[in-house]
Amino acid sequence: MIRRLVGGTVVLALVLTWVADLALLSRSGSPWHPATNWVPALVTGPVAVLALIDTPWSPPLQVRAAAMAVLSVAVTGWCLAAPQYQASVGALEGSGLLFLLVCTLSEINRPTLTALVSAGLAAAVLLMALRHRSVGTFVPATYILTVALALCVALGFVIRAMETRRRRAVEDVRQAERLSLARDLHDLIAHHMTGIIVQANAAATIHATAPEKIEPILRTIAASGTETLESMRRLVRVLREDGHPAPLPGDLLGELADLVARYCATAVSGAPADQARLEATATARTARLDPEVEISVHRLVQEALTNTRRHAPRARVTVQLDADDTWLHVSVVNTASPGHDSAPAGGRSGFGLIGLQERVRALDGTFHAGPLPYGGWQVQADFPRKG
């Protein structure tokens, strides 16, 4: 929303600037008169605006910015070489160059290239003051252009710093979620390995007195070892992608029921009696899931309920679990809360959403969160199941 507002404001400013350019050009007589310099208002101005537009077919930003700087300097040289032409303001061209400077400083990540392109744009802007060929106009024009350049340079660096901070925060959230999942998997692997060791010791103890019982124990050890190996592979994959107690494996519905019960027990004043409920189909109740999937479902529901309480405290919440042959479908839906704005699960910063999405995708699942047509909010994830 903010990005659209800023974009609309920039477009409006450019349109008004071009209208002013054309109005000043019309005051000098016919725009096509041989003594009128119409190029800045009718050619380089619109070209500068086109250079700001980023489409899949556009050249890279540095190419567009450098080409526009060269074109502007060439037009300035043409104005100086042909003094018989009347000077044109070229406000749209100057605005386009300044916006290109802001984009260059905030988006291009190669320091040397950024410095060179920015220097070229700054020189092109300052040289525009020479087009007026009047000391009375040159001095204030140079002052205004210098101040505008300073503001645009500062704005470009501020945008770059904010974007860098945002990317770092996003990466920190992703890394924290990966480490959290890795800790959960470590606990599960330790649990499985403990069971394997206990069964191996039991087999060693009874192999002389009850050899017929060895084979079932060995099959159990093999199954536990296979499951542990699969969990270990997922752990390594998560860690290669660059302290809370884990829920008990195999007790997902019990854990979710406790979450929903605690949520209802701490309901705020005025909340409905059936503030939250858990719905699970028969297929979901009998589905075999990997332990890390159970943990991730628990975390997703916990995060969604926490943020529903924070942003929609009097809303009704429904936690739904369904399953088919290959997927477990989890959905947390809340209604709109009177007197409160709907906000994403994970808070207004959006980092909670990023963490949930990272966790689900690490398990080859899909994740979606967004507002509903009637004003509520939905968090939905699909996890692969064993069968």
Side-chain angles (χ1 to χ4, degrees), residues 23 181 230 249 254 293 307 386:
L181 180 57
E230 289 298 323
V293 171
N307 287 286
K386 289 181 177 180

Side-chain angles (χ1 to χ4, degrees), residues 54-78:
D54 189 11
T55 67
W57 306 277
S58 300
L61 175 60
Q62 58 266 27
V63 174
R64 288 179 275 142
M68 191 59 225
V70 172
L71 179 61
S72 178
V73 172
V75 172
T76 300
W78 175 58

Side-chain angles (χ1 to χ4, degrees), residues 144-161:
I144 293 174
L145 292 175
T146 302
V147 173
L149 271 176
L151 293 176
C152 289
V153 169
L155 179 60
F157 281 121
V158 168
I159 294 176
R160 175 181 287 272

